[in-house]
Amino acid sequence: MKHLIDPMDLSLEELDEVLELGEEIYEHPEKYADLAKGKKIATLFYEPSTRTRLSFESAMLDLGGNVIGFSSASDSSVSKGESVEDTVRTVGCFADVIAMRHPNEGAPKLASMMSPVPIINAGDGGHNHPTQTLTDLLTIRKEKGKLDHMTVGLCGDLKFGRTVHSLIKAMSRYHGVKFVLISPKELRVPEYIISDVIEPAGLSYEEVESLEDNIGKLDILYMTRVQRERFFNEADYVRLKDTYILDKKKMKMAKEDMIILHPLPRVNEISPSVDDDPRACYFRQVKYGKFVRMALICKLLGLVPWKQSEEE
Ligand code: NCD
């Protein structure tokens, strides 16, 4: 049984399969409308979510399956003191696959050790968010036609942003990727991302503070929200929250074909005046997210004859 806890849990080949299938479902959703008939996903969300939970639920519904779950810890037996392990052993009696979001780093991993069904990490604290990464990769593939040889700027809260950590891990596997890490000093990527991910991959990177000075060289700009809920004090959050605001003026300095991604929710970091710019991909990104989750569910449940043509 396979779980998806960290983006590196998928081999490059498996990752390509999921992205390819995501693209195929995007093109021909009707062919997949009954594939998961009789199957259930449980969404166990111990932390708030709009896109991720509804995207998983829509993905399963659009595959003809069903959905159970809870959207806050207070709605579940967690409020009575139940452990994550006991919860998944219970829910695993009802559902075929579980998507779990938890404020504690490592909670989905712990759950996967006890779970009778595949666990998908839908975000664990400031650590990882592998299905947002699948969403980001499918978006880049659809919008840029490739995943290699690009300069990727990640801007904002690179310290606590789990989507940033997972995306860097995944993109480090592609040739010729350069990272421009744009953040205030206090919100730089954790050291292990540099020493255990970017450097061993032999990729080039720079850590900078100015968005204006660097936007012109980017092929992709990945904007992020300052993660208020992970700050120790409100004063620091208030001081840092508006460090970067992408607006029309800054977009004039960007390449004509640069794409803007954002995992959403946005707070102030992208002015709504940028939304009409064809380079703004963040709402299209939400759409791609559902299709790639459909592909992932198919893969984890063994619903698609993978690489059928090669095996025949
Ligand atoms: C992200 C998350 O939860 O980490 N949102 C999402 O899943 N699309 C980003 C964020 O909350 O800032």
Side-chain angles (χ1 to χ4, degrees):
M1 184 181 34
K2 185 117 188 158
H3 307 282
L4 180 61
I5 306 300
D6 184 291
M8 303 308 257
D9 290 346
L10 294 174
S11 67
L12 202 49
E13 200 191 12
E14 289 169 324
L15 182 62
D16 279 344
E17 284 172 354
V18 172
L19 296 175
E20 234 159 75
L21 181 62
E23 216 168 307
E24 151 71 13
I25 303 175
Y26 178 87
E27 306 290 343
H28 305 287
E30 67 294 340
K31 277 173 38 188
Y32 298 85
D34 293 319
L35 202 63
K37 207 166 170 209
K39 302 284 184 192
K40 255 179 262 157
I41 190 168
T43 51
L44 310 186
F45 276 61
Y46 297 82
E47 236 191 21
S49 169
T50 303
R51 267 150 300 274
T52 305
R53 186 172 60 81
L54 297 182
S55 176
F56 270 115
E57 297 186 356
S58 303
M60 192 48 138
L61 293 172
D62 289 356
L63 288 167
N66 286 302
V67 173
I68 56 174
F70 53 79
S71 55
S72 94
S74 58
D75 292 348
S76 74
S77 280
V78 182
S79 60
K80 299 182 189 168
E82 187 171 55
S83 69
V84 160
E85 293 97 309
D86 283 0
T87 302
V88 296
R89 285 172 98 166
T90 305
V91 175
C93 299
F94 312 135
D96 302 281
V97 57
I98 294 174
M100 173 186 287
R101 168 169 289 187
H102 203 286
N104 295 347
E105 308 192 349
K109 172 87 191 161
L110 198 63
S112 72
M113 292 175 338
M114 286 295 172
S115 175
V117 299
I119 298 281
I120 304 171
N121 177 6
D124 63 326
H127 193 211
N128 274 310
H129 193 344
T131 64
Q132 182 62 46
T133 298
L134 293 176
T135 302
D136 302 338
L137 296 180
L138 183 60
T139 307
I140 297 169
R141 239 172 93 128
K142 291 289 288 177
E143 302 283 335
K144 300 292 284 181
K146 60 174 187 176
L147 288 163
D148 52 5
H149 296 97
M150 276 183 295
T151 301
V152 185
L154 297 110
C155 177
D157 188 344
L158 309 188
K159 179 177 180 181
F160 296 116
R162 55 194 173 196
T163 66
V164 168
H165 308 154
S166 288
L167 183 60
I168 293 177
K169 284 186 185 175
M171 295 246 18
S172 288
R173 297 162 119 182
Y174 295 95
H175 293 294
V177 170
K178 288 186 193 155
F179 295 109
V180 182
L181 306 170
I182 309 163
S183 74
K185 281 199 184 66
E186 297 90 331
L187 298 178
R188 281 186 182 169
V189 285
E191 183 45 39
Y192 79 90
I193 293 286
I194 308 270
S195 61
D196 300 356
V197 181
I198 301 179
E199 282 178 350
L203 296 177
S204 78
Y205 73 95
E206 49 182 325
E207 292 187 278
V208 298
E209 284 186 52
S210 165
L211 176 57
E212 284 92 329
D213 294 350
N214 292 283
I215 195 168
K217 59 183 161 204
L218 306 178
D219 300 305
I220 300 169
L221 172 58
Y222 194 87
M223 291 297 293
T224 62
R225 159 183 87 87
V226 175
Q227 306 277 301
R228 180 182 204 159
E229 66 276 32
R230 313 219 189 278
F231 272 69
F232 296 111
N233 71 70
E234 182 72 5
D236 282 347
Y237 168 72
V238 170
R239 182 167 56 82
L240 294 169
K241 72 183 172 69
D242 291 329
T243 313
Y244 303 106
I245 299 180
L246 182 64
D247 55 17
K248 279 190 157 168
K249 198 167 142 227
K250 293 195 188 83
M251 283 307 292
K252 286 209 179 88
M253 301 181 233
K255 289 185 187 172
E256 282 295 304
D257 63 349
M258 184 194 81
I259 57 169
I260 313 163
L261 270 60
H262 191 310
L264 302 177
R266 112 175 103 184
V267 186
N268 281 331
E269 58 281 353
I270 302 180
S271 154
S273 68
V274 174
D275 295 357
D276 293 336
D277 190 308
R279 293 170 288 184
C281 292
Y282 29 93
F283 289 110
R284 297 202 285 284
Q285 193 179 349
V286 176
K287 258 196 182 165
Y288 296 132
K290 183 191 75 175
F291 292 101
V292 88
R293 288 187 174 95
M294 289 170 81
L296 177 68
I297 291 170
C298 291
K299 171 139 179 86
L300 294 180
L301 295 183
L303 295 175
V304 168
W306 290 91
K307 294 194 297 170
Q308 196 180 33
S309 50
E310 280 167 44
E311 278 159 19
E312 269 165 3

